[in-house]
Amino acid sequence: MKVLHILWFSVVIFSFQSFAQYKTQILKLHSGWNAVFLEVQLEPADCNTVFSGVPVESVWAWNRKFNSVQFVQDTSEMFPEQPEWLTWFPKGHPKEFLNNLFSFSGGRAYLIKIEEGSPEINLTVKGKAQTVKKQWYPNSYNLAGFYVDENKSPSFSEYFSGANAHSGQPVYKLSSSGEWELITDLSTEKIESGKAYWVKCKGISDFSGPVEASFLGSSSVEFGNNLVEADVEIVNKSAVEKTVTIRVKNSEAAPSGELPVAGNIPLSYWFSDFENTKFHWKNMPEKLTKILKPGQKWTQRFIVRRNDMPGTASSGALFQNLLEIEDGAGAKIYMPMTAEKALDANYPGGEKPFPRNGLWVGYAILNKVSMANGTSTPQPTSAPLSFRIIVHQNSNGVARLLRKATVMMKRADTTNLVVITDDKLIPQFLSGETSDNSVEGQRFSSVVFGMRQPEVMTYDQGGKSLSADVFIGYNDPLSPFKHLYHPDHNNLENYEKKLPEGVESFDVTRNIKLLFSAEPVEGASATAWGDTVVGGTYNEAIDGLYHKTLNVSGKFVLNQVTDAEEKLITA
């Protein structure tokens, strides 16, 4: 028996998540032993289903993590009773009762034995693109595979450049005779896609490849139906300069029983030209390229154009694609992406005024007003007037115009937000004291609206508009005619008897109308328009200030601040 004595052998353990972007992998299997690396997550993944109809004698996954072991160089010396191996034997095999490997999971290395005399097999498997984060066991050999371009793979020396725990360390590959052979020249030996190797890790390592990509610490991006922007971070982990390229790849069709693929996610990227001071969103081209020095990070912003998604939100399909990220030297990784349409895809003129529920905050800019002694049609002004608008829409589609709103976490709750319109209720939702006695939340207010309670707005679906009448009584402290100390504007006779409306002060009624537009207004985000940004024409008719109606108009833009739906807290 040929034995290689090595301390602390262990399989590389991968932490992964499953996402619905599909990719096909072909495992090339020959008669005898095969060392493979599965890059996709299969569904179903049980071994009986995966290897149905394939002349497989057994499948092995290394399971020893901590103890000193004898690594059997000759695979004929492997036994299923050994605790360092998880094994699967097909139905009817005499050793089937010893099975303790039941799932053929992505992001893991395996040994597969094919029946002697069998022709070469191309086992085609389709699964969800599998992105992993390697966890190396220190001072040990680890059974591992690597994400590389099958047509242009790097050498081991190139791949591990800059990885001190792996660079120049021994690597073993499985020969056709089923024996592990030491690779004598790591500078010329190319890493094969879909193959597994024993790789020495000297010391502690978190190296997952020459280039790593993440979004908020995750190896995938799930926009859902709410997230609009995502900052993808790409880091050059090697010791040499890399030309990194990002491409958007189509997801393959989903397997039977899985959620269907609705299509690619319409993406735009943030274009920055500091030399010419140009910054704006542009539709994603065929590729993006950037040169990264060792250790340099590239943060690329992406945004979803949900208005360009065909179909409806109720179709139950996910928009899916893959970001293919390569370093120009053969290392290649994939970042899965998913997105859904907004809850109300028909903006403007949908069942609800806004495409999403929650709090919307923005501004109006008035640039036209009717003349007091002229036509009632608003005329251009010499200068614009801007002010804030705050509107909340609940899950029933009821919109309310607000004077102020404070967004806070629920007490002892770090996930659910409340929108509070009465400051006296804020203490009920404080989760604790802050060091500077400040309120734990964000406050929005508008000085041009004085109503004490939220004003329910009327939605005209056919007219694609929201309207509200804001009434200011003649004796209201916020009335423009009222003055607390001026005798001609205190609505009192001899400072005692209350006077009726129309003597000193007048009731004022503001009829506000928001007319939604399908096209972005100037200055608003075109990529998020109709999703988390809406707007259009602002019209207001004011009665009571003058003996005839005054009309003003302009534009408005509203941005979704939070999706807190049924949590509008009023007095």
Side-chain angles (χ1 to χ4, degrees), residues 73 171-177 179-184 197:
Q73 187 177 7
V171 178
Y172 286 81
K173 66 178 181 179
L174 187 63
S175 69
S176 58
S177 62
E179 294 186 6
W180 291 98
E181 297 178 344
L182 177 67
I183 297 176
T184 56
Y197 304 86

Side-chain angles (χ1 to χ4, degrees), residues 11-12 14 35-39 107-110 132 134 136 142-148 156 159-160 191-199 208:
V11 65
V12 175
F14 299 97
V36 303
F37 174 62
L38 184 62
E39 300 176 358
R108 193 170 188 178
Y110 297 89
V132 300
K134 286 186 174 68
W136 297 89
N142 293 252
L143 188 61
F146 307 98
Y147 291 98
V148 296
F156 284 93
Y159 191 87
F160 288 119
I191 299 175
E192 291 189 57
S193 175
K195 297 293 185 180
Y197 304 86
W198 286 105
V199 181
S208 291

